[in-house]
């Protein structure tokens, strides 16, 4: 009952309906509110509702009666789920529901918020993101920091409009390769996780300018990162490989039949691209295998899975001249054969590690 007098502030907004102003903004942050009365629905011109830092755990169904509501901030409250009434607010563009006690994001509700451009669900103890996140095709900012996420769904690669992805301070062990499909991504923050590698597809994010990978378990970065034009890059507090030559066993050049056949098929890339739809339809397992092929860093020929994993040490300033970071970082290079390794050995460019399958 202590919050009842404060509801008068909301009631006062009703009088603003007489105002000639087209759109209304209601700022009820930090008012110790425990509930919002149903008559909020009469505020037909309300397009921004700020309810941050209260004691709310639900919203009235009448929220759906606000025809032009675009911005809703219910961060720092006590919500255990996305308010069901939001399923009937299709014009919502900004939803800040951070620092609540959510355990999951309801796929049914999330999938109906097709106009969302900003979603902040940080600090909510989320253990996973639903595949329905892919339906938010207009999303430009996604913040899921300070949760319990162990992975991100591969469907996140469908968010073609995404410019900022904040996923720091989780328990991420890997990033999906589909992250390379985020053509407009400019900021990626995955600091303070448990990542052991960054996917090679990161090199496709041509507009990425800010990459934060601090406090992870990364030993080497993919060589495809040289395609990026980073302005900010931080890889501190990772167990990066040191510039010490390691012994490498000689590689048996007698490849398995599967590898030989795959390399022969991959030699004719144009034909393979033309036949990709046919292969995907008739033999999806073969299609997935060929799609995972890699390119040798020395001869540029494609291989399937048998390779030598090497590392080269590059100057951060040389690769990313716009950054303020200095020093060297280890970058991974995959070589298709021991012959290629021997050919470049005189240049001391690559250091051999182990014979391994390609990374993610």
């Amino acid at each position: 009952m202590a919050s009842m007098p404060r509801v008068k502030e909301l009631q006062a907004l009703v009088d603003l309906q007489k105002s000639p102003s087209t759109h209304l903004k209601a700022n009820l942050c930090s008012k110790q509110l425990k509930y919002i009365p149903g008559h909020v629905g009469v505020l037909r011109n309300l397009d921004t509702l700020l309810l941050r830092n209260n004691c709310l755990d639900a919203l009235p169904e009448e929220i759906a009666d606000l025809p032009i509501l675009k911005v809703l901030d219910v961060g720092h409250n006590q919500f255990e789920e996305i308010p069901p009434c939001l399923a009937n607010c299709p014009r919502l563009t900004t939803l800040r529901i951070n620092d609540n006690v959510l355990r999951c994001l309801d796929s049914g509700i999330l999938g109906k918020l097709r106009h969302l451009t900003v979603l902040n669900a940080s600090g909510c103890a989320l253990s996973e993101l639903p595949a329905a996140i892919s339906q938010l095709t207009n999303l430009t900012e996604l913040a899921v920091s300070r949760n319990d996420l162990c992975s991100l769904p591969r469907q996140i690669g469908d968010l073609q409009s995404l410019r900022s992805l904040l996923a720091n301070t989780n328990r991420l062990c890997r990033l999906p390769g589909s992250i390379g499909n985020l053509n407009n991504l400019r900021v990626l923050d995955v600091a303070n996780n448990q990542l052991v590698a960054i996917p090679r597809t990161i090199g496709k994010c041509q507009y990425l300018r800010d990459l934060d990978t601090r406090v992870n378990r990364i030993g080497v970065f993919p060589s495809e990162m040289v395609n990026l034009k980073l302005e900010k890059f931080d890889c501190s507090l990772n167990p990066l490989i040191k510039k010490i030559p390691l012994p490498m066993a000689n590689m048996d050049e007698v490849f398995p039949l599967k590898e030989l056949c795959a390399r022969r098929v991959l030699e004719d890339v144009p034909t393979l691209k033309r036949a990709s739809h046919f292969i995907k339809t008739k033999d999806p397992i073969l299609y997935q295998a060929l799609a995972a092929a890699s390119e040798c860093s020395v001869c540029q020929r494609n291989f399937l899975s048998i390779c030598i994993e090497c590392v080269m040490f590059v100057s951060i300033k040389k690769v990313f001249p716009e950054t303020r970071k200095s020093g060297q970082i280890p970058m991974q290079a995959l070589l298709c054969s021991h012959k290629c390794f021997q050919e470049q050995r005189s240049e001391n460019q690559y250091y051999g590690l182990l014979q391994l399958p390609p990374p993610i």
Side-chain angles (χ1 to χ4, degrees):
M1 296 301 293
S3 65
M4 281 298 294
R6 303 181 187 279
V7 176
K8 293 181 180 180
E9 299 180 44
L10 182 62
Q11 178 63 47
L13 291 173
V14 178
D15 297 332
L16 293 178
Q17 288 296 102
K18 301 175 184 179
S19 169
S21 176
T22 305
H23 297 145
L24 300 179
K25 174 181 178 180
N27 187 344
L28 295 169
C29 300
S30 305
K31 302 296 183 182
Q32 301 180 21
L33 297 175
K34 293 184 178 180
Y35 71 94
I36 300 297
H39 61 252
V40 67
V42 304
L43 302 176
R44 308 289 290 178
N45 288 347
L46 191 66
D47 74 344
T48 300
L49 181 55
L50 307 180
L51 299 170
R52 184 173 61 257
N53 196 26
N54 281 293
C55 305
L56 303 172
D57 58 10
L59 291 179
E61 290 296 325
E62 288 79 1
I63 289 290
D65 296 333
L66 303 175
I68 63 170
L69 183 65
K70 293 183 177 180
V71 178
L72 177 63
D73 187 343
V74 291
H76 293 271
N77 276 285
Q78 299 174 11
F79 289 92
E80 296 183 0
E81 61 178 1
I82 298 180
C85 59
L86 298 188
N88 298 313
C89 298
R91 299 187 65 176
L92 205 62
T93 61
T94 298
L95 175 59
R96 302 187 187 281
I97 197 166
N98 55 290
D99 295 282
N100 279 280
V101 287
L102 304 179
R103 292 295 178 182
C104 65
L105 298 177
D106 189 292
S107 298
I109 299 174
L110 202 63
K112 295 181 180 179
L113 301 178
R114 301 294 181 89
H115 287 87
L116 270 189
T117 59
V118 176
L119 174 60
N120 187 343
S122 296
C124 290
L126 296 176
S127 59
E128 65 176 358
L129 287 183
I133 196 78
S134 64
Q135 299 178 42
L136 306 182
T137 54
N138 292 303
L139 207 61
T140 60
E141 298 179 25
L142 175 60
V144 288
S145 303
R146 297 180 289 109
N147 282 295
D148 293 322
L149 301 175
C150 294
S151 64
L152 297 178
R154 60 177 178 79
Q155 290 84 356
I156 205 166
D158 296 335
L159 303 179
Q160 296 290 302
S161 300
L162 198 65
R163 293 169 60 88
S164 174
L165 174 56
L166 308 181
N168 59 288
T169 317
N170 279 282
R171 295 189 293 151
L172 297 176
C173 297
R174 64 184 301 274
L175 296 176
S178 61
I179 203 166
N181 298 331
L182 301 178
N183 299 323
N184 292 294
L185 191 65
R186 296 186 66 88
V187 178
L188 176 60
D189 186 349
V190 289
N192 196 21
N193 277 286
Q194 300 174 20
L195 298 174
V196 296
I198 298 295
R200 291 156 45 210
T201 52
I202 194 75
K204 297 180 180 179
C205 300
Q206 57 179 330
Y207 294 112
L208 188 63
R209 296 295 180 266
D210 187 343
L211 176 60
D212 193 343
T213 63
R214 291 172 296 166
V215 198
N216 276 283
R217 301 177 181 178
I218 300 171
V220 61
F221 288 91
S223 59
E224 287 79 2
M225 279 180 55
V226 299
N227 299 325
L228 303 177
K229 297 179 180 179
L230 296 179
E231 297 172 358
K232 295 181 180 180
F233 174 59
D234 198 336
C235 61
S236 56
L237 299 178
N238 276 287
L240 299 178
I241 292 175
K242 304 301 181 182
K243 194 172 183 178
I244 302 175
L246 299 176
M248 181 184 66
N250 288 335
M251 182 176 179
D252 187 358
E253 295 292 312
V254 181
F255 299 118
L257 181 60
K258 178 180 178 181
E259 181 71 23
L260 290 172
C261 292
R263 292 191 181 195
R264 179 64 185 89
V265 171
L266 290 167
E267 285 180 2
D268 193 353
V269 175
T271 301
L272 187 60
K273 287 183 177 180
R274 289 195 298 270
S276 61
H277 180 71
F278 175 81
I279 298 174
K280 185 176 183 179
T281 303
K282 297 297 182 179
D283 195 335
I285 297 179
L286 175 61
Y287 175 82
Q288 291 178 6
L290 294 177
S294 304
E295 185 179 271
C296 177
S297 297
V298 174
C299 69
Q300 280 74 56
R301 293 179 180 176
N302 292 302
F303 58 86
L304 186 61
S305 59
I306 304 298
C307 68
I308 298 178
E309 183 186 24
C310 298
V311 61
M312 56 183 176
F313 295 87
V314 299
S315 166
I316 297 178
K317 273 294 184 181
K318 183 177 180 180
V319 180
F320 310 127
E322 300 298 322
T323 67
R324 297 181 179 180
K325 279 286 182 180
S326 59
Q328 291 185 325
I329 57 170
M331 281 193 170
Q332 183 189 61
L334 303 179
L335 276 57
C336 68
S337 66
H338 196 265
K339 178 182 177 182
C340 284
F341 178 76
Q342 292 294 346
E343 287 180 357
Q344 59 77 46
R345 196 170 186 177
S346 60
E347 302 176 7
N348 295 322
Q349 182 178 4
Y350 299 109
Y351 290 81
L353 294 182
L354 299 168
Q355 179 182 339
L356 294 172
I360 58 174

